[in-house]
Amino acid sequence: MKAKYSVVVPCYNEEETVNAFYDAVIPVMESLKEPYEIIFVNDGSRDRTEQLLKELAQKDKNVKVINFSRNFGQQPAILAGFKEAEGDAVIDIDVDLQDPVEAIPEMIKKWKEGFDVVHGKRLVRKGETFFKKKTSTMYTNFFEKITGLKIPKNCGDFKLFDRKVIDVLTNMNERDRFLRGMTEWVGFKQTYVEFERKERVAGQTKYNLKKLVKLATNGIVSNSSYPLSFSMKFGILGGVLSVCTFITFIVLACLKIYLPLVSWLFPTIVLCFSINWVLGGLSNIYTARIYSEVQDRPKYIIREKINFDNDDNKQ
Ligand code: UDP
Ligand code: MG
């Protein structure tokens, strides 16, 4: 029978948590009394994760496993799970039980009320260092400022998506994915349920600083061309400043106030640099266009069509 709910679970070196997650999630999914599937995506683990997942899949046909050829990262793992998911509602959740599986029925309730995306919002964030919480809030604010996308505060990737949102997200073929930004970008009717984020049930975080920086950079770069505009802005500012300085020097010279010849060097150098920055900025404008074309996001997304013969959501 086709699953109504799909739970997508990325796993990287999670031998200490997969069984605990399975034991916790099954009673919750069973309590819904509707068909479901749990898709574990093994993101190139080097420990016993693969073996444990195979054992689970053998004893439980609702468990499906995708094994990556190497570690590609959490975001590609989520995408793989989304592509395979057959549910009408798809829930993305970490395997370490930091996000409570008990919140899933609440999310489904919101979905049944008509919401297309239900975010899991953390009220308390246990098991996260002060540094991680602080940098995460700063990043969210910075992201919002430069991309204009309001990603809900204190929400990670624990979310429920309606089938139509999953179809849109999986058809967005960009390489460097940042689900939180993409979820905001696609729109639809969104809400959240609140929960207390616990500590990991076992093991260590799989996000080292390098992976975090990569994710944060992907988020900005794939959602904003703002950094590319710096060169043009600097160039224009430098150009205006140097021209003003030249005018001041000329006025002073007319008033017979002669500055040492070397003073003229400063605005001359700034002007040369500024021309360079403006020209660089021009090519950046085209680079941003090319990036946006290559990214090839849908030009619009239809949520609903009324009184059309064919009510498929075409993009
Ligand atoms: N994860 C993954 N690939 C990676 C890193 C992490 O699939 O390269 C998974 C991990 O197994 C977990 C989820 O992504 O299910 C979140 O990772 P983690 O709990 O380490 O992140 P944190 O909660 O510390 O931000
Ligand atoms: Mg975690």
Side-chain angles (χ1 to χ4, degrees):
M1 199 195 303
K2 183 181 163 294
K4 188 168 171 72
Y5 304 116
S6 305
V7 182
V8 170
V9 198
C11 308
Y12 177 53
N13 291 344
E14 296 283 6
E15 62 182 8
E16 290 164 295
T17 59
V18 282
N19 281 331
F21 177 84
Y22 176 81
D23 292 342
V25 80
I26 293 301
V28 174
M29 297 314 289
E30 285 293 332
S31 73
L32 298 168
K33 310 239 177 298
E34 282 173 294
Y36 67 88
E37 61 182 357
I38 316 278
I39 303 178
F40 288 98
V41 186
N42 172 26
D43 180 17
S45 300
R46 280 169 304 216
D47 62 358
R48 289 171 54 250
T49 302
E50 180 175 340
Q51 189 189 326
L52 295 175
L53 291 178
K54 277 184 175 158
E55 282 167 21
L56 290 178
Q58 220 151 41
K59 74 169 181 184
D60 185 344
K61 287 293 159 233
N62 292 324
V63 170
K64 298 175 181 176
V65 179
I66 298 170
N67 281 310
F68 275 2
S69 60
R70 66 166 172 84
N71 180 233
F72 283 91
Q74 184 194 9
Q75 301 290 314
I78 294 171
L79 173 66
F82 282 3
K83 285 205 170 179
E84 298 299 329
E86 56 178 26
D88 299 329
V90 179
I91 299 116
D92 169 33
I93 187 168
D94 295 350
V95 71
D96 57 11
L97 292 177
Q98 282 197 276
D99 303 332
V101 287
E102 297 77 31
I104 294 175
E106 242 183 288
M107 289 176 145
I108 289 176
K109 198 167 150 246
K110 293 271 182 196
W111 172 67
K112 286 186 169 167
E113 282 169 22
F115 289 100
D116 304 309
V117 178
V118 186
H119 301 265
K121 190 175 171 72
R122 305 152 178 174
L123 283 172
V124 184
R125 301 171 63 158
K126 286 188 188 157
E128 287 181 43
T129 58
F130 175 76
F131 173 78
K132 190 159 181 184
K133 280 188 252 190
K134 198 80 208 153
T135 47
S136 158
T137 314
M138 280 165 58
Y139 178 76
T140 310
N141 291 337
F142 181 65
F143 182 91
E144 188 178 315
K145 236 191 178 94
I146 83 162
T147 64
L149 294 172
K150 264 194 170 53
I151 40 177
K153 303 250 173 347
N154 291 323
C155 294
D157 285 336
F158 178 33
K159 300 182 200 301
L160 176 147
F161 301 89
D162 182 78
R163 165 56 43 200
K164 55 182 175 285
V165 184
I166 287 292
D167 289 344
V168 171
L169 289 171
T170 49
N171 279 319
M172 286 164 74
N173 281 323
E174 57 205 74
R175 265 196 105 66
D176 294 320
R177 301 172 74 85
F178 181 60
L179 184 61
R180 270 164 261 182
M182 294 168 79
T183 306
E184 192 49 39
W185 189 86
V186 298
F188 292 98
K189 283 164 82 175
Q190 308 203 2
T191 187
Y192 58 84
V193 298
E194 293 176 322
F195 66 88
E196 289 193 7
R197 192 165 210 235
K198 295 174 270 188
E199 295 192 20
R200 255 182 172 271
V201 66
Q204 300 286 323
T205 176
K206 303 300 175 293
Y207 264 95
N208 53 27
L209 193 62
K210 195 174 149 205
K211 278 189 177 171
L212 268 180
V213 170
K214 189 174 171 224
L215 181 68
T217 316
N218 280 349
I220 302 285
V221 174
S222 58
N223 287 291
S224 168
S225 55
Y226 182 69
L228 283 173
S229 67
F230 288 161
S231 175
M232 180 65 87
K233 286 177 181 157
F234 273 128
I236 291 172
L237 184 71
V240 170
L241 274 179
S242 54
V243 168
C244 288
T245 314
F246 274 127
I247 293 171
T248 313
F249 285 7
I250 291 166
V251 171
L252 288 175
C254 292
L255 296 171
K256 306 230 178 311
I257 303 169
Y258 299 109
L259 295 171
L261 207 58
V262 70
S263 325
W264 290 81
L265 206 59
F266 170 71
T268 310
I269 291 173
V270 174
L271 187 65
C272 289
F273 269 103
S274 303
I275 292 169
N276 210 1
W277 285 328
V278 168
L279 292 178
L282 276 180
S283 70
N284 281 353
I285 291 173
Y286 286 90
T287 307
R289 280 283 176 92
I290 294 165
Y291 183 67
S292 150
E293 289 290 340
V294 170
Q295 209 178 16
D296 198 23
R297 285 191 175 184
K299 284 150 198 81
Y300 54 85
I301 299 162
I302 295 173
R303 188 169 62 79
E304 191 180 23
K305 276 160 71 173
I306 296 167
N307 276 357
F308 281 84
D309 292 342
N310 170 5
D311 63 355
D312 285 349
N313 289 349
K314 288 210 186 88
Q315 290 156 37

